[in-house]
């Protein structure tokens, strides 16, 4: 059998062949491109071939794909898509859209929570959740050009339905249990890195530079897929799987999501937490459905250029997310030793035996982004929080295991540096960073 490239293909072929009269058992291996069929004397071979065609595949042997594509159109499309992406970035940069910051009060109304969701859906949430949605939906649309726009768009409705229900129910629960739910900074870092790795491989596949990658990827065992009922849907897709994926995005650490989750925790109420997280998820829907709408309507020659554009955007987002996640893990790579520190003027002033420094948090980061302190003397860092419902409202210093959700006004953070060298601090997603320079 030719045309199979994943475990879902195996399940699809098995299901179609098993319906043929006379077939007793079927075992399909997509890597070998073979179906082993146990049957009785009544089997009509033409019916088996017809079943394979109905499943969307063909009898025959797949040609071995080259390691690197030799199709010049692949590289022309990537070059064109890269030019468009670069021009779009410059346009956003020139008009300051990338640096625009939204201000919200410390205790927003329910209506304002929905507005925060709307902002999140087109900003930091787009970096992780939007990137994953764009990659998965584009990949599905690319593999199934025969599907109608409504068929391609339907998964996004199930994805967002899963988000709405899980955000509401889990929001109510964290409203009751409070801070027991929270992840550590390093755990969030590893989750972001994992999301980045998934995006990277999706993007790499969609570039079509490495044809042999097309059949790779992490896959669920067939037995588990059947147990969960995922084999009843079209190959590579199930409404149930998409619904569950949407529900699990509650645990993806978008900066806005974290801030709203903290707000829900502070209510101490199931009903209030339920409403807050439901309205936030509802607010993110236009942005995420907009991404889904784009992948649903593209077709023909334009589709190839669009998917190359998506591939490059995913690779950039992946590298950005992996870098951001690394900032949160607290891991220091070999070669970034403490002896590389410059002796600079201290940023602090000594008050009652403590080095006191003030920095300001806003939607666009921290100011100043670099401070210098002295080794072995206690540091009192006063973070003046001016905007609570943005990524930077969570302040993280992985080396000192500081993971602080800021409150409005001055936030006091204390630590004592015992080694010289640069120490990173960042927001809760690792995107906005700064350096604490520790000197002798």
């Amino acid at each position: 059998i030719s045309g199979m490239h994943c475990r879902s293909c195996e399940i699809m072929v098995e299901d179609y062949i098993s319906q043929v009269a006379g077939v007793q058992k079927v075992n399909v291996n997509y890597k070998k491109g073979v179906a082993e069929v146990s049957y009785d004397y009544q089997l009509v071979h033409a019916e088996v071939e017809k079943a394979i065609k109905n499943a969307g595949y063909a009898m025959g042997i797949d040609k071995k794909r080259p390691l690197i594509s030799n199709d010049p159109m692949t590289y022309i499309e990537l070059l064109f898509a890269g030019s468009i992406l670069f021009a779009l970035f410059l346009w956003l940069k020139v008009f300051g859209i990338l640096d625009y910051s939204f201000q919200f009060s410390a205790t927003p109304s329910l209506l304002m929570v929905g507005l925060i969701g709307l902002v999140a859906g087109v900003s930091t949430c787009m970096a992780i959740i939007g990137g994953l949605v764009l990659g998965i939906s584009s990949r599905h649309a690319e593999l199934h050009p025969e599907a109608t726009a409504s068929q391609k768009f339907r998964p996004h409705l199930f994805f967002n339905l899963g988000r709405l229900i899980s955000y509401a129910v889990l929001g109510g629960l964290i409203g009751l249990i409070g801070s027991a739910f929270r992840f550590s900074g390093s755990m969030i870092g590893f989750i972001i890195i994992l999301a980045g790795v998934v995006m990277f491989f999706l993007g790499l596949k969609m570039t079509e530079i490495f044809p042999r990658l097309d059949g790779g990827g992490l896959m669920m065992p067939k037995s588990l897929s059947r147990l969960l009922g995922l084999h009843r849907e079209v190959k590579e897709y199930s409404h149930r799987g998409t619904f569950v994926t949407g529900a699990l995005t509650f645990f993806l650490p978008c900066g806005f999501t974290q801030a709203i989750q903290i707000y829900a925790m502070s209510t101490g109420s199931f009903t209030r937490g339920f409403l807050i997280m439901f309205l936030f998820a509802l607010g993110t829907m236009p942005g995420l459905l907009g991404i889904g709408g784009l992948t649903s309507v593209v077709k023909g020659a334009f589709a190839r250029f669009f998917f190359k554009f998506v591939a490059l955007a995913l690779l950039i987002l992946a590298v950005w997310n992996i870098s951001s996640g690394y900032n949160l893990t607290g891991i220091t790579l070999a070669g970034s030793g403490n002896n590389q520190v410059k002796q600079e003027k201290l940023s602090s002033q000594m008050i009652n035996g403590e080095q006191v420094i003030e920095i300001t948090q806003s939607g666009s980061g921290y100011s100043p982004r670099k401070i210098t302190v002295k080794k072995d003397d206690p540091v009192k860092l006063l973070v003046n929080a001016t905007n609570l419902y943005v990524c930077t409202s969570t302040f993280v210093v992985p080396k000192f295991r500081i993971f602080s959700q800021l409150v409005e006004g001055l936030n006091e953070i204390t630590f004592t540096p015992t080694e010289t060298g640069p120490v990173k601090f960042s927001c809760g997603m690792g995107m906005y960073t700064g350096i604490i320079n520790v000197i002798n």
Side-chain angles (χ1 to χ4, degrees):
I1 299 171
S2 66
M4 298 190 297
H5 54 270
C6 69
R7 198 142 290 149
S8 297
C9 300
E10 292 180 346
I11 294 172
M12 177 67 72
V13 173
E14 286 178 358
D15 285 350
Y16 271 79
I17 294 178
S18 64
Q19 294 171 20
V20 175
V23 171
Q24 296 175 335
K25 185 181 177 183
V26 187
N27 184 41
V28 178
N29 187 313
Y30 83 92
K31 290 181 180 178
K32 294 180 180 178
V34 169
E36 295 178 356
V37 184
S38 301
Y39 59 95
D40 62 25
Y41 64 93
Q42 297 174 334
L43 181 72
V44 179
H45 287 254
E47 289 297 314
V48 176
E49 184 170 359
K50 183 180 177 183
I52 291 168
K53 287 182 179 179
N54 289 339
Y57 304 92
M59 298 277 278
I61 300 173
D62 272 325
K63 291 181 181 178
K64 189 172 182 180
R65 298 176 180 182
L67 183 63
I68 299 176
S69 174
N70 51 17
D71 182 3
M73 273 306 294
T74 297
Y75 301 98
I76 292 171
E77 288 164 357
L78 282 170
L79 184 63
F80 179 78
S83 302
I84 297 296
L85 190 62
F86 183 68
L88 178 62
F89 172 78
L90 287 180
W91 182 80
L92 293 172
K93 196 74 176 170
V94 167
F95 286 94
I97 295 172
L98 295 176
D99 303 318
Y100 196 74
S101 177
F102 296 87
Q103 184 77 39
F104 300 102
S105 66
T107 53
S109 65
L110 291 178
L111 180 63
M112 194 60 68
V113 167
L115 181 59
I116 294 171
L118 188 64
V119 173
V122 294
S123 54
T124 58
C125 282
M126 193 61 73
I128 296 183
I129 300 166
L132 289 172
V133 169
L134 183 63
I136 294 168
S137 61
S138 296
R139 181 72 179 155
H140 182 72
E142 184 183 36
L143 292 171
H144 299 286
E146 77 286 351
T148 64
S150 63
Q151 287 173 331
K152 292 176 184 176
F153 188 71
R154 200 175 300 138
H156 299 281
L157 297 177
F158 282 90
F159 177 88
N160 281 277
L161 181 62
R163 270 176 66 81
L164 281 174
I165 293 175
S166 76
Y167 272 58
V169 174
L170 294 174
L173 290 176
I174 65 173
L176 284 177
I177 65 176
S179 59
F181 158 78
R182 293 184 63 187
F183 290 133
S184 66
S186 57
M187 176 63 75
I188 290 174
F190 286 118
I191 292 173
I192 292 175
I193 289 172
L194 180 61
V197 169
V198 172
M199 276 187 231
F200 187 83
F201 279 103
L202 278 172
L204 209 57
K205 281 184 180 184
M206 292 180 68
T207 62
E208 297 182 350
I209 292 176
F210 305 103
R212 291 188 192 176
L213 283 178
D214 200 46
L218 296 173
M219 298 181 193
M220 191 180 291
K222 279 193 288 189
S223 57
L224 184 57
S225 295
R226 292 186 180 280
L227 180 66
L228 296 174
L230 303 184
H231 63 291
R232 299 192 187 102
E233 308 281 352
V234 182
K235 56 185 175 181
E236 298 153 353
Y237 170 74
S238 76
H239 293 328
R240 186 179 302 180
T242 305
F243 179 91
V244 171
T245 303
L248 291 175
T249 59
F250 184 87
F251 302 101
L252 280 177
C254 157
F256 281 99
T257 306
Q258 290 179 72
I260 295 296
Q261 285 170 346
I262 296 295
Y263 181 39
M265 287 178 196
S266 69
T267 63
S269 161
F270 180 89
T271 305
R272 191 82 178 159
F274 181 101
L275 285 172
I276 287 169
M277 295 310 301
F278 174 81
L279 290 171
F280 174 77
L282 191 66
T284 62
M285 280 183 65
L288 298 179
L289 285 174
I291 286 287
L294 275 176
T295 60
S296 302
V297 297
V298 293
K299 58 177 67 176
F302 173 72
R304 288 191 57 82
F305 288 99
F306 175 78
F307 293 136
K308 292 297 187 295
F309 176 89
V310 170
L312 293 177
L314 283 177
L315 290 174
I316 292 168
L317 284 174
V319 172
W320 185 26
N321 279 309
I322 291 170
S323 173
S324 298
Y326 168 72
N327 289 335
L328 291 173
T329 60
I331 297 171
T332 303
L333 296 176
S336 57
N338 293 333
N339 58 349
Q340 299 175 3
V341 64
K342 294 180 180 179
Q343 291 293 122
E344 297 179 346
K345 184 180 177 182
L346 291 171
S347 307
S348 59
Q349 59 180 103
M350 292 297 293
I351 301 175
N352 297 327
E354 292 181 312
Q355 303 179 80
V356 180
I357 311 169
E358 184 173 329
I359 65 175
T360 301
Q361 170 268 352
S362 67
S364 55
Y366 306 98
S367 179
R369 290 183 57 203
K370 185 176 182 181
I371 57 177
T372 303
V373 299
K374 194 164 57 171
K375 174 179 172 255
D376 294 329
D377 283 346
V379 175
K380 182 190 286 185
L381 195 58
L382 300 176
V383 184
N384 183 22
T386 64
N387 193 345
L388 298 186
Y389 295 97
V390 288
C391 179
T392 54
S393 62
T394 304
F395 187 81
V396 184
V397 190
K399 185 174 179 64
F400 302 126
R401 296 184 179 180
I402 294 168
F403 190 84
S404 177
Q405 189 66 37
L406 303 178
V407 297
E408 195 171 29
L410 287 179
N411 296 257
E412 188 176 301
I413 296 169
T414 58
F415 58 90
T416 302
T418 57
E419 298 175 348
T420 60
V423 176
K424 279 185 181 179
F425 65 87
S426 74
C427 68
M429 287 180 72
M431 292 181 177
Y432 295 94
T433 60
I435 293 291
I436 302 170
N437 197 26
V438 184
I439 63 172
N440 276 314

